[in-house]
Amino acid sequence: MTSTATSPAELSNEEIFRYSRHLILPEVGLEGQKKLKQARVLLVGVGGLGSPAALYLAAAGVGTLGLVDFDVVDATNLQRQIIHGTRTIGKRKLDSARDRIEDLNPNVKVEAHETPLTSRNALEIIRTYDIVVDGTDNFQTRYLVNDACVILGKPNVYGSIYRFEGQASVFATGDAPCYRCLFREPPPPGLVPSCAEGGVLGVLPGIVGTIQTTEALKLILGIGESLAGRLLLIDALRMRFRTLNLRKDPTCPACGTHEIKELIDYEEFCGVRQAAADDAAALSAVPEISPVQLAARIARGDDFDLIDVREPHEWDIARIPGARLIPLATLVNQLPTLDSARDIIVHCKMGGRSAKAVQQLQASGFRKVWNLSGGITRWSNDVDPSTPKY
Amino acid sequence: MFSLARQLTSKSIPELQVAFFVFSHRGRMAVTLFLPTVLARLADSGTLRSEGNTVGEVVANISGRYPELAPRLRDAQGDPYAFVTFYLNDEDIRFTGSFQSPVKDGDELTIVPAIAGG
């Protein structure tokens, strides 16, 4: 007899033995463990926050875990996304996570949703779950998850991270405030860097993701004092935890006035589409040179200046021979040190910051300026594979 | 009003001198600001001292000292953004009068910007 064949309302002997440390906790006990087994939790994103959440929810014996993700495991994920491994690089995150969960606890049923969560599918997907754990990495999906949870009346266990700091709360449960009560509108695109741009201490999503998991388990078990109505701020660098009171905003369009009766266009709401179009327009307006063309100019012994506008800690990781470091923020002060009579080629990691630098130089009267398309990353791909990528 | 206060205090009436002292020290409530790392790099540190009679004055004081930080705390009109929440001690100022919320000596102002990493 396999343990997975047991009725959802009962625990097999194997399960009783597996969960013994829970069962001897009076606050959990047999009844609590059965509640966990019958629970259905949806994880939106199986990345930094979703990895520890999925592992601990599975270990705890939550009967059904829904996973929403459409990404593939990349080596740069493994510094923090501990559900994945070196062996699963290149695999779909859903398959990688399912393998690990099945190994950790074969009693858990995994429901994989290989799709981005969108206004078209969010209500349908979320509807069948009891609790949502928000482990997304962008504002548009956070507002989408929030509004869908408010509309459906599902608790939204929130966590968010940046560099060394995190936030956690439980939204949309009972009379609790929602994400929009805390932040009515998202910041304009580009103002708050993503973890890919700004970096994140690998263990931080471990701290925040396990706090989200703790809240999800407490909600299922109906024990303790939830973070609903409170915002937990986590500062890993100073190792300070602080709780602030969250109030329900009576004018909140989601949970206050209930103006939001159906899901909206969240990319539009967050200005993402316009920003992407603006970026593309800005990039296309800038004269470019490819890494292969740059290598040819270096080989010919052409006379030009190569300017690297990245940060000093990036310069320490990798650089293109002959480049001079002028971080973008300091470019304006360094203009007098540049010769507008000479050809100037500007580069960064991927080509975005250097495009801005080229525009700044053009605005200051420089005419012979080019952006290295794809930055040092493409230089590594196309010219010199010994240059580390990061 | 300053000249009126000076005229009155010049008469050396003790009560008025006290009143003038209180008046002239208005806007000097010492408040500690806590900035998250994303904003701390635009100032000297994550913990700043400021003063003012209201949250708005405290923020204006800091904005004057750190011009790069200023546009991250308030918009061009000097009003708070919808994606940066200010907590005076443990309370969201939007429910206590926004930037007009009065501050006391020793109050703590925590700035909580929206972050989305996961």
Side-chain angles (χ1 to χ4, degrees):
Chain A
M1 187 190 92
T2 63
S3 54
T4 44
T6 322
S7 131
E10 296 303 324
L11 299 181
S12 68
N13 285 354
E14 183 272 326
E15 287 171 296
I16 288 173
F17 189 56
R18 173 185 285 266
Y19 304 127
S20 62
R21 300 297 186 278
H22 267 171
L23 300 180
I24 58 176
L25 276 176
E27 292 81 357
V28 182
L30 196 63
E31 284 315 302
Q33 196 63 51
K34 286 181 188 169
K35 285 183 191 165
L36 293 173
K37 186 174 180 181
Q38 289 171 66
R40 296 175 51 83
V41 177
L42 182 70
L43 298 170
V44 185
V46 194
L49 296 170
S51 284
L55 287 172
Y56 273 107
L57 289 169
V62 168
T64 306
L65 283 181
L67 309 177
V68 184
D69 210 303
F70 58 98
D71 210 354
V72 167
V73 180
D74 178 270
T76 64
N77 299 150
L78 300 180
Q79 162 259 20
R80 64 199 178 285
Q81 300 183 15
I82 57 168
I83 201 167
H84 310 298
T86 307
R87 267 197 298 264
T88 61
I89 289 173
K91 281 191 174 181
R92 301 190 312 168
K93 283 189 176 176
L94 289 181
D95 293 335
S96 167
R98 186 204 299 269
D99 286 354
R100 182 76 185 89
I101 291 169
E102 280 176 0
D103 179 47
L104 179 60
N105 189 349
N107 302 298
V108 175
K109 184 181 172 211
V110 174
E111 294 178 350
H113 304 275
E114 194 186 19
T115 170
L117 198 71
T118 67
S119 299
R120 276 189 296 281
N121 63 21
L123 293 175
E124 189 189 329
I125 292 174
I126 293 174
R127 196 185 306 275
T128 64
Y129 293 90
D130 305 318
I131 294 174
V132 177
V133 175
D134 180 357
T136 56
D137 61 0
N138 61 79
F139 286 108
Q140 55 272 32
T141 318
R142 291 195 180 276
Y143 281 93
L144 166 65
V145 169
N146 180 73
D147 293 356
C149 285
V150 171
I151 289 170
L152 294 169
K154 306 282 184 186
N156 170 15
V157 183
Y158 163 78
S160 196
I161 52 170
Y162 180 72
R163 291 192 169 173
F164 297 95
E165 281 164 306
Q167 303 173 353
S169 189
V170 175
F171 294 127
T173 173
D175 290 334
C178 77
Y179 184 59
R180 282 182 189 262
C181 297
L182 175 61
F183 300 116
R184 176 68 72 91
E185 288 168 19
L191 186 69
V192 181
S194 67
C195 290
E197 295 159 337
V200 61
L201 188 70
V203 69
L204 181 69
I207 300 173
V208 178
T210 50
I211 288 170
Q212 290 177 277
T213 311
T214 311
E215 290 305 300
L217 293 174
K218 281 160 57 188
L219 287 173
I220 298 165
L221 294 167
I223 60 172
E225 193 183 326
S226 148
L227 266 181
R230 294 183 294 152
L231 175 68
L232 178 66
L233 299 181
I234 298 130
D235 178 346
L237 216 47
R238 287 185 271 194
M239 203 42 92
R240 280 188 196 155
F241 286 59
R242 179 136 193 239
T243 324
L244 302 167
N245 294 324
L246 272 184
R247 288 216 224 166
K248 195 177 177 83
D249 183 350
T251 69
C252 170
C255 73
T257 63
H258 295 280
E259 282 161 59
I260 299 174
K261 291 185 171 59
E262 54 190 43
L263 300 175
I264 59 171
D265 181 342
Y266 292 87
E267 296 205 341
E268 179 73 35
F269 175 62
C270 295
V272 178
R273 206 170 289 128
Q274 187 58 45
D278 291 350
D279 284 353
L283 266 178
S284 66
V286 162
E288 286 194 334
I289 179 170
S290 74
V292 171
Q293 289 170 316
L294 171 61
R297 288 196 70 168
I298 293 172
R300 280 202 304 268
D302 274 7
D303 202 20
F304 64 89
D305 292 325
L306 179 61
I307 307 295
D308 180 345
V309 295
R310 297 173 304 150
E311 296 300 314
H313 59 270
E314 298 178 87
W315 169 264
D316 290 343
I317 301 167
R319 62 189 81 164
I320 298 177
R324 172 182 166 199
L325 179 67
I326 306 180
L328 183 58
T330 66
L331 181 61
V332 67
N333 297 328
Q334 294 295 320
L335 286 178
T337 70
L338 297 174
D339 183 355
S340 61
R342 290 166 61 82
D343 287 4
I344 296 177
I345 298 169
V346 190
H347 89 84
C348 64
K349 182 183 174 189
M350 311 277 281
R353 282 172 286 176
S354 49
K356 290 193 178 107
V358 168
Q359 287 173 320
Q360 268 191 36
L361 288 165
Q362 287 174 327
S364 305
F366 288 78
R367 291 286 167 263
K368 299 193 289 177
V369 201
W370 290 264
N371 184 28
L372 182 67
S373 62
I376 196 169
T377 304
R378 194 177 295 168
W379 171 268
S380 175
N381 288 340
D382 296 356
V383 175
D384 180 8
S386 74
T387 308
K389 283 190 285 190
Y390 60 97
Chain B
M1 264 184 100
F2 273 110
S3 59
L4 174 67
R6 265 200 297 276
Q7 273 175 20
L8 292 171
T9 49
S10 67
K11 290 176 182 164
S12 298
I13 303 169
E15 290 83 355
L16 284 176
Q17 281 182 332
V18 170
F20 178 67
F21 178 84
V22 170
F23 178 79
S24 62
H25 280 67
R26 67 189 277 281
R28 290 200 184 173
M29 297 297 172
V31 172
T32 307
L33 263 91
F34 293 105
L35 297 175
T37 45
V38 60
L39 298 181
R41 64 187 176 84
L42 304 173
D44 297 333
S45 93
T47 308
L48 302 174
R49 307 267 172 212
S50 182
E51 45 182 45
N53 242 10
T54 61
V55 171
E57 288 177 18
V58 168
V59 171
N61 176 305
I62 285 292
S63 299
R65 276 157 51 197
Y66 302 102
E68 281 185 59
L69 178 63
R72 303 295 295 273
L73 300 182
R74 50 183 203 164
D75 67 18
Q77 286 73 46
D79 294 323
Y81 294 113
F83 49 83
V84 181
T85 305
F86 289 82
Y87 275 87
L88 184 61
N89 302 317
D90 291 342
E91 294 298 331
D92 184 340
I93 63 161
R94 285 174 302 171
F95 299 96
T96 61
S98 193
F99 273 2
Q100 279 73 52
S101 305
V103 298
K104 302 185 307 294
D105 251 341
D107 274 353
E108 292 182 350
L109 190 63
T110 305
I111 294 157
V112 184
I115 53 173

